[in-house]
């Protein structure tokens, strides 16, 4: 790929990421949330109670960041923490009734943000976007071995 094409692609992805996060922050602010906290609430709404370390892994966020988010959301009454029954060193995090209600409001905002983001695109393109973006994400995932590195190892 030549530089002009690479630059256009990388700039488009960078700008989308920045603007999407900024728009999400605008929508979340009236709820008293910051970007990232909505993902934590939505993950717990999807899965139910989770050990905090598993929550960190599910969100792809460092443990100290999750600890800070959990503390803030717990202080606001949206989450409850308790020791894990089988491991007193682990902490289980779950939504409170107030947190469940907030997660429902976040779902509404998330739908609105998604609709705003894909406005003007054909339905077929919108349907293909999650898989396409998933491939792009996997291609740059620093936690996965690189295909090129794997190919080179196979040649040795």
């Amino acid at each position: 790929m030549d530089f002009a094409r690479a630059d256009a692609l990388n700039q488009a992805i960078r700008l989308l990421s920045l603007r999407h996060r900024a728009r999400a922050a605008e929508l979340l602010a009236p709820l008293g949330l910051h970007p990232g906290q909505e993902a934590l609430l939505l993950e717990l709404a999807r899965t139910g109670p989770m050990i905090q370390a598993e929550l960190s892994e599910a969100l792809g966020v460092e443990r100290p960041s999750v600890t800070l988010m959990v503390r803030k959301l717990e202080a606001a009454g949206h989450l409850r923490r308790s020791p894990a029954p089988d491991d007193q060193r682990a902490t289980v995090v779950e939504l409170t009734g107030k947190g469940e209600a907030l997660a429902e409001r976040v779902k509404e905002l998330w739908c609105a943000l998604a609709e705003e983001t894909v406005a003007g695109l054909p339905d077929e393109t919108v349907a293909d976007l999650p898989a396409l973006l998933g491939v792009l994400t996997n291609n740059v995932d620093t936690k996965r071995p690189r295909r090129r590195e794997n190919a080179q190892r196979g040649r040795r």
Side-chain angles (χ1 to χ4, degrees):
M1 178 181 307
D2 67 20
F3 176 75
R5 189 172 182 189
D7 187 45
L9 178 62
N10 287 321
Q11 288 293 345
I13 292 169
R14 184 182 72 80
L15 288 174
L16 172 60
S17 176
L18 289 171
R19 291 186 180 152
H20 189 271
R21 184 174 174 88
R23 184 64 179 131
E26 288 176 18
L27 294 171
L28 293 168
L31 300 180
L33 296 174
H34 298 283
Q37 292 176 326
E38 85 288 353
L40 190 150
L41 291 169
L42 293 173
E43 184 66 25
L44 290 174
R46 264 191 294 275
T47 64
M50 291 182 80
I51 292 176
Q52 197 164 311
E54 293 170 345
L55 186 56
S56 173
E57 183 69 26
L59 296 173
V61 177
E62 296 295 325
R63 288 183 184 189
S65 297
V66 169
T67 298
L68 183 59
M69 283 192 282
V70 166
R71 282 186 189 147
K72 288 181 178 182
L73 291 168
E74 182 181 37
H78 302 300
L79 301 180
R80 176 176 28 259
R81 290 188 292 177
S82 58
D86 55 343
D87 183 354
Q88 294 300 308
R89 295 170 297 165
T91 302
V92 175
V93 180
E94 64 183 311
L95 293 174
T96 61
K98 186 177 175 183
E100 289 172 0
L102 182 59
E104 288 305 312
R105 292 179 67 197
V106 169
K107 287 178 187 180
E108 293 169 10
L109 290 177
W110 225 224
C111 289
L113 179 58
E115 289 173 6
E116 187 177 315
T117 303
V118 300
L121 293 177
D123 289 343
E124 306 81 43
T125 302
V126 173
D128 291 341
L129 275 176
L132 177 63
L133 294 171
V135 169
L136 297 179
T137 300
N138 287 335
N139 287 345
V140 296
D141 188 348
T142 59
K143 293 180 181 175
R144 289 183 30 171
R146 300 275 188 255
R147 283 186 292 193
R148 202 173 273 147
E149 291 170 1
N150 287 343
Q152 288 173 348
R153 283 189 200 119
R155 287 187 210 137
R156 291 181 194 164

